[in-house]
């Protein structure tokens, strides 16, 4: 399968960060994996975690990590020299620590890595959509109950 002009440009542009926006099934993940590998190929001294790839869902991040893993395995299996094989093998060994994640996941890892400096508990949890909706409802209920119990003039507004 050939890349479109825009896809090829995204893969080959290495002098700036990029955001890839396209519809479902358009090949975004394929383009990002190819770009990821092209950057690693062009910069043989970079460790895997020198790159950051962000997606919106955990499923997409897992899919991208799996595709990168398979591509690294393929490059290792088809290496033309011992040095290339060693390079791809090392990168493959780093795949579980690769910065391929959701926006929330990246932010959480940065916060945990700097927890002492910013004063947060490194064992914090990121709420999922359901948990955050429940928490919001509980907080609204608590605030409304407090407003009523304090005989606050705001009760008339409610």
């Amino acid at each position: 399968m050939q890349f479109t002009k825009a896809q090829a440009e995204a893969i080959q542009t290495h002098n700036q960060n990029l955001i890839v926006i396209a519809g479902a099934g358009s090949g975004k993940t394929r383009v990002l994996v190819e770009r990821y590998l092209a950057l690693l190929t062009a910069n043989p001294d970079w460790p895997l975690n020198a790159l950051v790839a962000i997606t919106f869902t955990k499923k997409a991040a897992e899919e991208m990590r799996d595709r990168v893993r398979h591509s690294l395995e393929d490059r290792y299996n088809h290496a033309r020299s011992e040095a290339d094989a060693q390079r791809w093998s090392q990168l493959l060994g780093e795949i579980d620590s690769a910065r391929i994640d959701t926006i929330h996941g990246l932010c959480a890892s940065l916060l945990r890595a700097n927890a002492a400096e910013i004063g947060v508990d490194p064992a914090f949890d990121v709420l999922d959509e359901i948990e955050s909706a429940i928490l919001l409802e509980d907080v609204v209920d608590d605030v409304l109950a407090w407003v009523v119990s304090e005989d606050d003039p705001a009760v008339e507004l409610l």
Side-chain angles (χ1 to χ4, degrees):
M1 181 177 185
Q2 292 289 332
F3 292 108
T4 66
K5 182 179 177 186
Q7 289 173 327
E9 186 177 333
I11 293 167
Q12 297 163 3
T13 301
H14 294 178
N15 61 343
Q16 64 188 37
N17 297 325
L18 293 179
I19 297 174
V20 176
I21 301 171
S26 62
K28 288 183 303 293
T29 302
R30 183 169 167 249
V31 167
L32 289 172
V33 168
E34 288 300 320
R35 176 177 166 78
Y36 198 92
L37 292 167
L39 285 163
L40 289 171
T41 300
N43 299 281
D45 57 328
W46 285 8
L48 204 60
N49 67 4
L51 298 174
V52 176
I54 303 299
T55 65
F56 285 102
T57 66
K58 287 182 181 179
K59 182 180 176 185
E62 289 169 7
E63 179 182 348
M64 186 171 178
R65 183 182 304 274
D66 286 344
R67 288 190 190 187
V68 169
R69 181 188 321 271
H70 292 303
S71 294
L72 291 173
E73 288 171 351
D74 188 54
R75 298 223 176 173
Y76 170 74
N77 290 329
H78 296 95
R80 295 183 183 190
S81 69
E82 183 62 33
D84 280 349
Q86 186 176 8
R87 165 89 170 124
W88 297 117
S89 175
Q90 178 167 347
L91 292 172
L92 190 54
E94 297 171 5
I95 190 66
D96 290 330
S97 65
R99 292 180 178 175
I100 301 172
D101 210 338
T102 62
I103 294 168
H104 288 84
L106 175 66
C107 291
S109 67
L110 291 172
L111 289 170
R112 283 191 181 94
N114 299 286
E117 292 87 356
I118 57 178
V120 298
D121 182 350
F124 72 86
D125 285 323
V126 176
L127 300 178
D128 65 25
E129 192 174 331
I130 294 170
E131 292 169 325
S132 63
I134 292 169
L135 180 61
L136 178 61
E137 189 175 311
D138 288 347
V139 169
V140 169
D141 288 347
D142 290 347
V143 169
L144 291 175
W146 177 81
V147 166
V148 169
S149 73
E150 293 292 313
D151 198 27
D152 192 290
V155 172
E156 292 180 30
L157 295 173
L158 300 173

